């Protein structure tokens, strides 16, 4: 009998908010919460990545534990007694949301404002936002040497958008440091290791070596980091430009799945279009082949297809589209 | 692994510095000879190079010590040699305060701006340096510079400094009783200010156990150590065997002295039981808690005792290899330990057949590079392995998956030097010293406004007042205003609480902690509000940044204390205080590690016990001036 076989997995019984539940051994508390339809906020957790449990918005109270525990990564044990809505849990979630809401541009994080409302977060308590950093200042921050603030304004991570290639932009004013892009670029998917966390404390940031521009880095423009970024900090240039121009409108967008035809792997592409133009390509996270991850051809090849033959879009409303095998030029 | 590098290349100097620690490159693939212009992907350097990842920190140190800073080319060369993606290597290097990535002068004087030094007037020193020697910030040039530093672990000789001079023959030395004149002289090229370990204040007291050799026995001589009774405990350990040692350790009820007070015998037994191999023992000598300097004094003055203790641990828990991870700001202790390791190897006290009894064990010294968090045990493992010093999730615990994910004993320096006497005289004899829940003797770092600051050894049970009196008390005409126990992560005691016994239970009763044994005394001249502002700034600087409660919470706490101290609030005093309490609560409840969990403890205890910030009013309610 194999434990990893879901059909035979041993069941573990625990209590969540005084309700008893059986889940397979090896599940996380989050999975148990979801099985009971307990609404649990998450930010740094993603099904297809190794949990880093860094954001702490998912914490729950575990009887017998001095501190709260992260639901997303803590494995269930028989007899656990968990509270998901105690005063301590509510305060911690409220504060985590408030800390992020007051230091990061969270305007594009899905569900964020609802969760803030739910927990009564008020990011305004810390005062007006401090002036954004000049380009390069946060990249040059030295560990252990912050400029002590007088507290009259609230420190933030605001800084200019990094636009250094044609395919995607990096707006680290929106970065909550969830580590997802680093994982996607590293061993969890891409194995390119173009980006890592640099610096320390509030000055910690996602960076290439010496903060060189992407075209000088190891980046191969697979876009997998964009695919996992929960905040819009990493964004397709197409989307960024349309948002900038005020033309981005998700209500007007349609999407359809197709199989990428660039090579024989058979990745599923979800093609999103607005006003008869492809605006981005993603891949479903639950897809067996890709787990949501693609390469530059699947992710960005459409730009060249579209330029060459706009008629590929005609089929979009009715079903799958086929992206021909075209040469994808190296991004500048 | 197929890695990409930028075009920047190393200078011959940088290459020589790296080769000095990694050995000469043996293939043109990894030397960087294959340049980015022709081929920017290097080939597989194979498993041998990858498994050298833990050499990253030593290689970075080598460049920093030779050149003064780490260039893109130097980082590329190190990354190539070790097959580390350069973005990752940069992520690791930029974690540490002692490394710079822009040209930096070769001569740097680090001046402590932390609590014990502030208590004896370092604010005036720093203000004078700002006037005469530049801002003390990282971004300045010139031939030499001074820089602010967190506690340098020299609090008994405050104000403290550290001189680092990069070059072909790098030079590091601690500076005691720093004045602006001394700093100016160092910046102008003077060296050798004559720092030498001194005898501890209790020198000659026959009841000293842990400190009995300090200042008495030549720390550079293995023979002197042996003549003073050294290595007799190791001989006995061989005689009673691993199980015998474990029995004595458990009977001693020795609790870890690094802050968490975990029973040492249980830790050793757990590792001894683990079937997975190899086992490691790591001595945690990162000592960076503000106000703590006891481990430094031991390492400077009694280094062989540490080696003997670690060897006994290796025997008891079948550890194959040991590491001492020492903070990067301890140059003298580093040299003394290095020397002692060499001497021990030369005398067969480390190596393939220790004392001719068939034990194979050796110890390597590794230096940190300016990061308080690397004293947290799992963060220490990551740092030593060549990763960012971010704490790991527990469970799994170090005894199961520690260094290199193998079963590992990690112990504080002071914990370990208790071991030889326990083995020699038996665990029961040891447990008879002190009190029931706190056995043995304890080192206290008494500093701040006392006549004779220094490390003191007393049996558990002595009161706070007795310790302060032992250190000569506060100066005549002055009185104790407050005492910070356990360092920045500790808590305050009031003058009413001086009769509390310094035991684990006694400290709990006054909502304080022994922590690392800091007793920092502040007389009535000290601005305690400024101390709290500094504590908050310390945690803001030292948070690793991994989790939101601590990364942002330490910033919000620092900002709020700055508002309170300046009496310029955003809301009513009650609103600001309840906000501070909530910031403290989320850090304590939801942070990943002990740093965030204790970052609010001193602040909270001060607000609860001491009457601070009383007249703080919101900005808009103040009478206009
Ligand atoms: C932020 C932080 C810093 C720490 N720094 C040190 C240190 O410098 N030295 C030390 O021995 N333990 C330090 N510790 C405690 C270690 O994690 C660990 O508990 C200790 O080394 C175990 O040794 P012991 O059992 O001998 O006390 C620190 C813990 C935290 C959370
Ligand atoms: S696009 Fe791909 S290679 Fe480039 S940083 Fe993102 S994940 Fe890494
Ligand atoms: S850029 Fe996006 S994915 Fe990367 S750490 Fe920031 S928020 Fe997370
Ligand atoms: S509590 Fe602070 S130091 Fe510890 S992991 Fe979180 S951010 Fe890092
Ligand atoms: S979602 Fe669990 S810690 Fe971030
Ligand atoms: S050396 Fe200055 S506070 Fe410790």
């Amino acid at each position: 009998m194999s434990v990893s076989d879901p059909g035979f997995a041993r069941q573990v019984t625990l209590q969540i908010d005084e309700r008893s539940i059986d889940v397979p051994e090896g599940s996380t508390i989050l999975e148990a919460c979801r099985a009971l339809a307990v609404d649990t906020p998450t930010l740094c957790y993603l099904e297809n990545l190794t949990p880093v449990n860094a954001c702490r918005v998912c914490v729950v109270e575990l009887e017998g534990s001095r501190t709260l525990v992260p639901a997303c990564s803590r494995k269930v044990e028989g007899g656990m007694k968990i509270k998901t809505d105690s005063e301590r849990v509510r305060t911690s979630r409220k504060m985590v949301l408030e800390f992020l809401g007051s230091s990061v541009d969270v305007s594009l994080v899905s569900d964020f404002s609802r969760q803030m409302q739910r927990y009564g977060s008020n990011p305004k308590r810390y005062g007006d936002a401090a002036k954004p950093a000049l380009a390069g200042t946060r990249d040059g921050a030295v560990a252990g040497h912050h400029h002590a603030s007088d507290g009259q304004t609230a420190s933030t991570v605001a800084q200019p958008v990094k636009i250094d290639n044609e395919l995607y932009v990096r707006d680290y004013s929106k970065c909550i440091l969830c580590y997802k892009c680093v994982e996607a670029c590293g061993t969890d998917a891409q194995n390119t290791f173009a980006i890592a966390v640099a610096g320390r404390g509030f000055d910690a940031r996602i960076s290439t070596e010496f903060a060189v521009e992407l075209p000088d880095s190891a980046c191969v423009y697979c876009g997998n980091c964009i695919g996992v970024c929960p905040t819009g900090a990493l964004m397709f240039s197409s989307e960024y430009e349309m948002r900038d121009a005020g033309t981005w409108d998700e209500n007007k967008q349609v999407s359809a799945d197709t199989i990428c035809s660039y090579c024989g792997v058979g990745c599923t592409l979800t093609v999103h279009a607005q006003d008869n133009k492809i605006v981005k390509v993603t891949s479903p996270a639950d897809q067996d082949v890709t787990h949501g991850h693609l390469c530059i051809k699947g992710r960005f090849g459409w730009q060249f297809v579209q330029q060459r033959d706009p008629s590929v879009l005609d089929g979009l409303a009715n079903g799958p589209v086929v992206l021909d095998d075209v040469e994808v030029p190296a991004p500048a | 692994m197929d890695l990409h590098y930028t075009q920047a290349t190393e200078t011959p100097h940088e290459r020589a510095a790296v080769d000095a620690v990694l050995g000469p490159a043996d293939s043109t693939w990894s030397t960087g000879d294959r340049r980015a212009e022709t081929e920017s992907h290097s080939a597989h350097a194979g498993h041998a190079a990858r498994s050298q990842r833990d050499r990253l920190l030593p290689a970075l140190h080598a460049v920093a010590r030779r050149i003064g800073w780490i260039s893109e080319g130097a980082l590329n060369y190190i990354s190539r040699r070790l097959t580390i993606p350069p973005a990752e290597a940069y992520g690791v290097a930029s974690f540490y305060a002692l490394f710079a990535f822009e040209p930096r002068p070769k001569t740097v004087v680090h001046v402590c701006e932390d609590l014990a030094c502030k208590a004896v007037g370092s604010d005036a020193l720093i203000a004078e340096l700002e006037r005469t020697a530049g801002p003390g910030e990282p971004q300045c040039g010139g031939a030499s510079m001074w820089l602010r530093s967190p506690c340098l672990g020299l609090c008994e000789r405050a104000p403290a400094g550290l001189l680092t001079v990069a070059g072909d023959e790098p030079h590091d030395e601690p500076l005691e009783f720093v004045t602006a004149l001394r700093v100016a002289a160092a910046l102008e090229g003077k060296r050798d200010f004559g720092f030498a370990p001194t005898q501890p204040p209790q020198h000659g007291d026959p009841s000293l156990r842990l400190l009995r050799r300090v200042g008495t026995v030549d720390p550079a001589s293995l023979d002197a150590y042996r003549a003073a009774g050294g290595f007799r405990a190791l001989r006995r350990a061989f005689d009673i065997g691993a199980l015998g040692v474990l029995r004595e350790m458990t009977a001693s009820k020795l609790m870890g002295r690094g802050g968490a007070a975990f029973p040492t015998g249980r830790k050793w037994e757990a590792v001894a039981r683990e079937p997975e191999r190899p086992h490691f023992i790591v001595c945690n000598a990162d000592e960076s808690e503000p106000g703590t300097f006891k481990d430094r004094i031991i390492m400077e003055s009694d280094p062989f005792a540490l080696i003997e203790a670690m060897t006994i641990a290796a025997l008891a828990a079948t550890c194959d290899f040991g590491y001492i991870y020492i903070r990067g700001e301890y140059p003298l202790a580093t040299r003394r330990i290095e020397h002692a390791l060499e001497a021990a190897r030369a005398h067969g006290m480390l190596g393939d057949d220790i004392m001719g009894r068939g034990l194979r064990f050796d110890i390597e010294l590794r230096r940190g590079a300016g990061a308080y968090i690397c004293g947290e045990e799992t963060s220490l493992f990551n740092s030593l392995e060549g990763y960012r010093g971010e704490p790991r999730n527990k469970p799994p615990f170090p005894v199961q998956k520690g260094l290199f994910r193998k079963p590992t004993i990690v112990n504080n320096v002071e914990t370990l030097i208790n071991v030889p006497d326990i083995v020699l005289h038996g665990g029961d004899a040891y447990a008879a010293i002190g009190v029931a829940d706190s056995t043995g003797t304890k080192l206290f770092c008494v500093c701040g406004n006392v006549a004779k600051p220094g490390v003191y050894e007393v049996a558990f049970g002595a009161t706070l007042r007795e310790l302060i009196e032992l250190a000569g008390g506060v100066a005549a005409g002055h009185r104790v205003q407050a005492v910070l126990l356990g360092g920045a992560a500790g808590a305050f005691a009031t003058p009413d609480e001086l009769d509390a016994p310094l035991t684990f239970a006694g400290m709990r009763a006054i909502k304080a902690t022994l922590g690392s044994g800091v007793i920092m005394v502040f007389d009535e001249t000290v601005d305690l509000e400024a101390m709290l502002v500094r504590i908050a700034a310390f945690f803001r600087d030292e948070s690793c940044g991994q989790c939101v409660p601590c990364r942002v919470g330490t910033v919000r706490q620092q900002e709020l204390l700055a508002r309170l101290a300046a009496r310029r609030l955003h809301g009513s005093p009650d609103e600001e205080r309840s906000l501070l309490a909530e910031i403290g609560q989320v850090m304590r409840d939801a942070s990943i590690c002990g740093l965030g969990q204790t970052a609010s403890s001193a602040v909270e205890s001060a607000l609860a016990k001491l009457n601070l910030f009383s007249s703080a009013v919101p900005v808009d309610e103040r009478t206009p001036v």
Side-chain angles (χ1 to χ4, degrees), chain B residues 197-234:
Chain B
T198 48
Q199 290 172 336
Q202 291 164 294
H203 177 70
D205 181 339
S207 69
L208 290 184
R209 301 167 61 88
L210 304 175
L211 295 179
R212 66 175 179 269
R213 282 180 297 266
V214 171
T216 307
V217 177
D218 180 3
S221 161
L222 187 141
D223 289 335
Y225 178 70
R226 208 197 299 266
F231 293 117
R232 276 172 50 211
L234 179 57

Side-chain angles (χ1 to χ4, degrees), chain B residues 373 390-391 542-548 550-551 591-597:
Chain B
I373 187 59
E390 292 171 355
E542 299 299 334
S543 164
C544 84
Q546 187 178 199
C547 65
V548 174
C550 170
R551 178 175 77 238
S591 292
I592 293 179
C593 85
L595 188 149
Q597 288 160 13

Side-chain angles (χ1 to χ4, degrees), chain A residues 53-54 56 68 88 94 102 125-126 144-146 149 151-152 155 176 179 193 197 199-201 216-217, chain B residues 91 94-95 148 370 388 390 393 541-544 546-548 551 556 558-559 563 568 570 582 589-590:
Chain A
N53 49 73
R56 317 303 277 187
L68 305 178
R88 285 174 74 195
K94 171 178 93 173
S102 64
R125 294 204 279 175
Y126 307 94
H145 290 276
H146 77 270
S149 138
Q152 293 308 311
S155 309
I176 58 168
Y179 289 59
F193 305 96
V197 182
R200 189 167 87 196
D216 294 329
S217 78
Chain B
S94 59
F95 189 82
R148 283 152 222 280
R388 289 168 57 79
E390 292 171 355
N393 248 339
D541 272 343
E542 299 299 334
S543 164
C544 84
Q546 187 178 199
C547 65
V548 174
R551 178 175 77 238
R556 295 294 178 245
Q558 184 264 317
E559 291 169 344
R563 291 205 291 280
R568 297 186 56 197
H570 282 344
E582 284 185 288
D589 269 354

Side-chain angles (χ1 to χ4, degrees), chain B residues 10-31:
Chain B
E10 76 285 0
T11 65
H13 247 73
E14 290 166 340
R15 177 191 287 231
V18 174
D19 288 354
V21 284
L22 300 184
D26 53 12
S27 107
T28 50
W29 279 111
S30 59
T31 58

Side-chain angles (χ1 to χ4, degrees), chain B residues 565-610:
Chain B
R567 282 150 176 77
R568 297 186 56 197
L569 308 186
H570 282 344
S572 72
D574 283 352
E575 279 168 334
E576 291 281 57
R577 280 187 183 234
S578 73
L579 179 53
L580 189 61
E582 284 185 288
I583 294 170
Q585 187 180 335
V586 64
M587 288 200 284
R588 192 169 51 249
D589 269 354
S591 292
I592 293 179
C593 85
L595 188 149
Q597 288 160 13
T598 59
S600 60
S601 96
V603 171
E604 282 170 351
S605 86
L607 289 184
K609 291 180 175 184
L610 309 165

Side-chain angles (χ1 to χ4, degrees), chain B residues 7-8 103 147 221 242 282 285 349 359 365 415 419 434 490 510 572 579 600:
Chain B
Q7 308 221 344
L147 266 182
S221 161
V282 176
M349 304 308 296
L359 178 69
L365 182 68
T415 311
V419 168
I510 61 164
S572 72
L579 179 53
S600 60

Side-chain angles (χ1 to χ4, degrees), chain A residues 304-316:
Chain A
F304 312 102
V305 179
Q306 185 160 283
Q307 279 161 15
R308 203 187 58 180
D309 179 12
S311 68
V312 292
L313 287 164
D314 294 349
L316 199 61

